[in-house]
Amino acid sequence: MAPSWWVKKAHRLTPMVVNNWSMVKVNRNKNAKQLTWVLFLKAHRAAGCITAIASTTFSLTYAVRRRVTAGCTDAEVDTGKSMQRFYACIKACLWLSFLLLGFEITAYFKGWQFRIPDLHLQYLYTIMNPLAFKGFFDWAYSKWVLIRVEYLAPPLQLLANVCVCLFLIQSLDRFVLCLGCCWIRFRKIKPVANQSLQLDLEAGYGDGFFPMVLVQIPMCNEKEVYQQSIEAVCNLNWPKSKILIQVLDDSDDPTTQWLIKEEVHKWKHDGVNIVYRHRVVRDGYKAGNLKSAMNCSYVKNYQFVAIFDADFQPSPDFLTRTVTHFKDNEELGLVQARWSFVNKDENLLTRLQYINLAFHFEVEQQVNGVFLNFFGFNGTAGVWRIKALEDSGGWLERITVEDMDIAVRAHLHGWKMIFLNDVECKCELPESYEAYKKQQHRWHSGPMQLFRLCLFDIIKSKISIWKKGNLIFLFILLRKLILPFYSFTLFCIILPMTMFIPEATLPVLIICYIPVTISFLNILPSPRSFPFIVPYLLFENTMLVTKFNALISGLFQLGNAYEWVVTKKSGRSSEGDFESLIEKDQKWSPRGISEPDLEKKVKEEDNRSYRKRKYNRVYTKELMLAFLLLTAAARSLLAAQGVHFYPSCCFKE
């Protein structure tokens, strides 16, 4: 028997044990209820997510269908028959890729794809065992394997090898340009101006080098930016008796004409030597406008001409930092300044544009200017010696890139050019994809027109052989023709097709490591853009469609090769252009126009702008290319080939 003291202790502990067991049962019940509520909450959230996804998918599908059926896509722009045929080919490739993807998916699930790892052995296996596959689909797939091995793979492999060679040549050129830029930075090489011109505003300019300078501002229906450009040019530090400003207005909108004319009258009233010129017939677009202005009788009194587009805002010391380079340098024909952008951080599109343009100015223009004394004139923010323009034949209206045309002709006549990387001129980047797309079409079709027209002139010119080679093979063929051609063919056609025709192979070094290295080199001049390298690669892939189409249309004079569309501006540095006519200077009023009439004009313009309804655009061509690459991505994942795709991005306004 247990001792008495143990029995007494057990009696004392019994209520405590009972209480503890009751507490455990309560806690268990409580935990079960909490777990039930947690599961209910998670189920509610999951149901909400599914509902949201379904609702979003339905809304997106409805919006796309409504915009496409309403005609609010880029198809409303007349792109010409050649462009339609070009995109029809992409569409055919897209449907073919879907068909091939269906074949490959079925073959994958049937276990055919990797029954024999070596594709050549698979081909031999199919020939030696014609009854190996049973059924119509089995027979069709075996025939597809035979066709792609015998007929499709050899020409695709040949085209791939050609594009790989072109790609390696272009990559070498890009690498040499980067080495040249590094050498310039390491040695701190830059053009040095003659120091005889020392401006002292307090002393009244002194006896420095102040030649007669003509400043031209060509514009066309650019009411968003006309004010800021005219104001910036009128504030240039140069003796008023030595400068004349020409505002060359090609606008066909009466309100825009009136606003620009009154702005010119205001500055003229303030003592600025400025004139307004308007052409009724816009023959030759910008080139015709500049040519018409140079035919004025008073131009013969001037030695240099500075050109600024409507959205450019030169700093007050622009002329003092550029014109000085002409002193005691009679062979110098052009001084080009660098562009800086007031809206480079406005959206993703402007950030990606800035990457390309930073490399263009920092590397291409600077290296060519230092080592070759030749580069393509950018059309604005530059100062020309008028004698060089006249000696080269003046402005010609034959192509849409008149700036590159005059630069090439000046180079053929022996004129030198310098690029000033430390002199910047503010301007704007296109903020919408539609405006950027039209700009790129003009920039890539124009050089092909120039190549057709200038090839024999270059061959017959008296410049040295190595300069002819640089002009033909590097400046035009490699950087203007070969680059868009091989980029589109290799990365948008051949590479996706190798996923469906694996017998044609591309080395990983060519399709992965070298392109990534070149992309990093492109971003080096703008190091703050490194976080955007992936969108940059996708964006460049998307733009290859537009660039390749522009190349073909310009080379063979197809469709809209000679179309000139003024790039749309937003006027970031001069918001409220219309109201500023009233608010900026209350003491001044236009001649013959009362203040109520001006306010009436403003209200009419506001009402007209309000009636213009804006739509988001669905860019079907870019989406077709994206889906083509997406099907290739799915095929590459099925085949586990180690090289996978990412569909191109499609920007929306």
Side-chain angles (χ1 to χ4, degrees):
M1 294 187 58
S4 58
W5 64 270
W6 174 257
V7 174
K8 294 179 180 179
K9 189 174 182 179
H11 281 294
R12 288 196 303 267
L13 292 174
T14 300
M16 296 176 61
V17 172
V18 172
N19 291 335
N20 290 338
W21 274 105
S22 61
M23 290 177 63
V24 170
K25 292 182 66 177
V26 170
N27 289 337
R28 285 183 177 179
N29 293 334
K30 185 176 181 181
N31 292 338
K33 290 181 179 180
Q34 290 178 348
L35 180 61
T36 303
W37 279 109
V38 170
L39 292 177
F40 273 125
L41 288 175
K42 290 186 177 294
H44 178 71
R45 290 179 181 177
C49 291
I50 294 174
T51 305
I53 292 173
S55 176
T56 303
T57 304
F58 177 77
S59 301
L60 180 62
T61 305
Y62 175 75
V64 171
R65 185 179 63 180
R66 176 174 57 83
R67 290 168 184 169
V68 172
T69 55
C72 298
T73 67
D74 55 349
E76 65 187 7
V77 182
D78 186 13
T79 57
K81 294 183 179 179
S82 63
M83 197 170 185
Q84 295 174 2
R85 288 194 297 266
F86 174 65
Y87 289 130
C89 295
I90 297 181
K91 193 174 183 179
C93 293
L94 174 64
W95 286 112
L96 178 62
S97 67
F98 275 123
L99 179 63
L100 298 181
L101 182 62
F103 268 100
E104 298 295 340
I105 292 175
T106 306
Y108 175 78
F109 284 108
K110 284 181 174 288
W112 299 345
Q113 193 68 22
F114 305 109
R115 179 177 298 175
I116 301 177
D118 190 352
L119 291 170
H120 296 287
L121 293 178
Q122 181 179 351
Y123 168 58
L124 296 175
Y125 178 80
T126 307
I127 294 177
M128 292 185 294
N129 299 274
L131 300 178
F133 300 113
K134 298 179 181 181
F136 174 77
F137 184 84
D138 303 357
W139 173 84
Y141 184 77
S142 64
K143 289 298 182 182
W144 158 242
V145 173
L146 296 177
I147 291 173
R148 79 188 190 192
V149 171
E150 290 187 351
Y151 302 106
L152 299 181
L156 184 63
Q157 186 66 59
L158 178 62
L159 183 60
N161 294 338
V162 172
C163 289
V164 165
C165 293
L166 297 177
F167 172 64
L168 291 176
I169 295 172
Q170 194 275 333
S171 300
L172 179 61
D173 173 65
R174 187 62 56 97
F175 184 69
V176 171
L177 286 175
C178 292
L179 285 180
C181 182
C182 293
W183 180 256
I184 291 173
R185 284 197 172 191
F186 176 73
R187 298 299 300 268
K188 298 181 180 179
I189 303 173
K190 67 176 183 178
V192 179
N194 193 298
Q195 300 298 323
S196 62
L197 175 55
Q198 298 291 338
L199 287 183
D200 188 353
L201 297 180
E202 296 180 359
Y205 295 102
D207 299 325
F209 173 71
F210 295 101
M212 300 290 287
V213 177
L214 180 68
V215 181
Q216 296 177 334
I217 314 175
M219 57 182 64
C220 179
N221 295 326
E222 295 170 285
K223 59 179 177 292
E224 297 85 3
V225 293
Y226 75 94
Q227 230 180 359
Q228 62 191 34
S229 61
I230 294 177
E231 179 180 2
V233 170
C234 290
N235 288 321
L236 289 172
N237 290 335
W238 205 255
K240 293 184 179 180
S241 60
K242 301 282 188 176
I243 187 174
L244 173 64
I245 301 171
Q246 288 181 318
V247 178
L248 311 177
D249 182 24
D250 264 4
S251 304
D252 54 9
D253 177 39
T255 303
T256 304
Q257 295 177 24
W258 179 83
L259 289 169
I260 297 174
K261 187 182 298 184
E262 294 304 324
E263 181 72 13
V264 171
H265 287 161
K266 184 190 74 172
W267 286 101
K268 193 170 185 178
H269 182 267
D270 292 341
V272 178
N273 193 10
I274 184 172
V275 295
Y276 173 85
R277 285 180 54 84
H278 175 72
R279 294 194 309 160
V280 178
V281 181
R282 288 184 57 214
D283 290 337
Y285 304 111
K286 181 180 176 181
N289 197 0
L290 295 173
K291 180 179 179 180
S292 174
M294 294 299 293
N295 289 332
C296 295
S297 58
Y298 52 78
V299 173
K300 62 183 180 181
N301 299 324
Y302 293 84
Q303 298 174 256
F304 305 99
V305 54
I307 303 173
F308 301 100
D309 283 350
D311 60 316
F312 278 71
Q313 308 165 56
S315 58
D317 62 346
F318 182 88
L319 292 180
T320 63
R321 301 178 66 184
T322 55
V323 177
T324 55
H325 290 270
F326 289 98
K327 185 173 177 59
D328 301 329
N329 193 354
E330 297 298 327
E331 295 181 349
L332 183 60
L334 168 67
V335 175
Q336 173 72 60
R338 179 173 178 164
W339 299 359
S340 62
F341 308 100
V342 296
N343 62 337
K344 64 180 180 180
D345 297 324
E346 182 63 28
N347 54 39
L348 180 60
L349 179 62
T350 58
R351 291 177 184 270
L352 300 180
Q353 293 178 63
Y354 176 70
I355 295 175
N356 281 333
L357 290 173
F359 182 88
H360 171 70
F361 288 111
E362 183 78 21
V363 180
E364 291 181 344
Q365 296 288 78
Q366 185 174 208
V367 171
N368 290 327
V370 170
F371 294 104
L372 301 176
N373 293 122
F374 167 72
F375 48 84
F377 175 46
N378 298 123
T380 178
V383 181
W384 276 95
R385 189 188 295 270
I386 294 181
K387 183 180 178 181
L389 289 177
E390 296 173 347
D391 187 38
S392 306
W395 298 104
L396 299 181
E397 308 163 6
R398 53 184 183 174
I399 59 175
T400 57
V401 285
E402 75 293 328
D403 45 9
M404 186 180 297
D405 184 13
I406 189 64
V408 170
R409 287 185 282 116
H411 183 57
L412 295 179
H413 285 79
W415 292 98
K416 295 182 179 180
M417 308 170 190
I418 62 173
F419 176 77
L420 303 179
N421 194 50
D422 57 341
V423 179
E424 298 183 355
C425 188
K426 295 180 181 179
C427 64
E428 285 189 18
L429 290 167
E431 296 182 5
S432 68
Y433 179 71
E434 188 67 24
Y436 179 68
K437 186 178 178 181
K438 292 177 180 178
Q439 181 195 69
Q440 291 300 303
H441 186 277
R442 185 176 78 248
W443 285 5
H444 285 81
S445 65
M448 296 303 99
Q449 305 165 20
L450 179 63
F451 176 69
R452 290 187 302 99
L453 296 174
C454 287
L455 179 59
F456 292 105
D457 293 336
I458 296 173
I459 296 174
K460 294 185 296 183
S461 65
K462 297 180 181 180
I463 61 176
S464 61
I465 296 179
W466 75 272
K467 286 186 177 181
K468 292 180 181 179
N470 170 72
L471 198 56
I472 295 175
F473 295 106
L474 289 181
F475 182 72
I476 298 180
L477 281 181
L478 183 61
R479 297 168 188 167
K480 309 300 181 184
L481 190 150
I482 292 177
L483 177 59
F485 170 77
Y486 90 77
S487 299
F488 177 80
T489 307
L490 181 61
F491 295 108
C492 296
I493 300 297
I494 296 177
L495 192 54
M497 287 298 102
T498 56
M499 297 296 103
F500 299 102
I501 308 175
E503 293 80 5
T505 59
L506 289 171
V508 179
L509 180 69
I510 298 299
I511 61 179
C512 182
Y513 298 113
I514 294 181
V516 170
T517 303
I518 296 299
S519 300
F520 273 102
L521 292 178
N522 288 343
I523 298 182
L524 279 180
S526 53
R528 293 179 59 188
S529 302
F530 268 102
F532 304 99
I533 186 170
V534 174
Y536 171 71
L537 295 175
L538 299 176
F539 175 69
E540 286 298 297
N541 204 23
T542 301
M543 287 305 300
L544 288 176
V545 181
T546 299
K547 295 177 181 179
F548 185 79
N549 174 74
L551 182 149
I552 298 299
S553 63
L555 190 61
F556 299 103
Q557 305 182 62
L558 301 175
N560 54 351
Y562 290 93
E563 180 186 15
W564 179 287
V565 179
V566 178
T567 305
K568 185 179 179 181
K569 314 295 192 313
S570 60
R572 289 291 172 183
S573 298
S574 60
E575 298 178 357
D577 290 314
F578 294 103
E579 291 81 355
S580 64
L581 286 174
I582 302 175
E583 299 174 357
K584 189 175 181 180
D585 194 348
Q586 295 289 346
K587 297 180 180 180
W588 176 87
S589 62
R591 296 180 303 173
I593 302 295
S594 61
E595 193 167 304
D597 292 336
L598 182 60
E599 293 178 351
K600 184 178 179 181
K601 283 271 187 182
V602 173
K603 290 181 180 179
E604 291 177 357
E605 188 67 27
D606 290 340
N607 292 334
R608 187 187 307 174
S609 301
Y610 179 77
R611 287 194 298 268
K612 292 181 180 179
R613 189 176 180 182
K614 294 183 178 180
Y615 295 94
N616 289 331
R617 295 183 181 272
V618 178
Y619 294 95
T620 55
K621 286 79 178 181
E622 287 80 356
L623 284 173
M624 284 196 299
L625 178 61
F627 280 116
L628 174 62
L629 299 183
L630 184 60
T631 56
R635 173 63 178 82
S636 69
L637 290 173
L638 290 176
Q641 296 184 23
V643 177
H644 306 302
F645 286 84
Y646 300 91
S648 303
C649 55
C650 182
F651 289 91
K652 295 173 66 178
E653 283 189 78

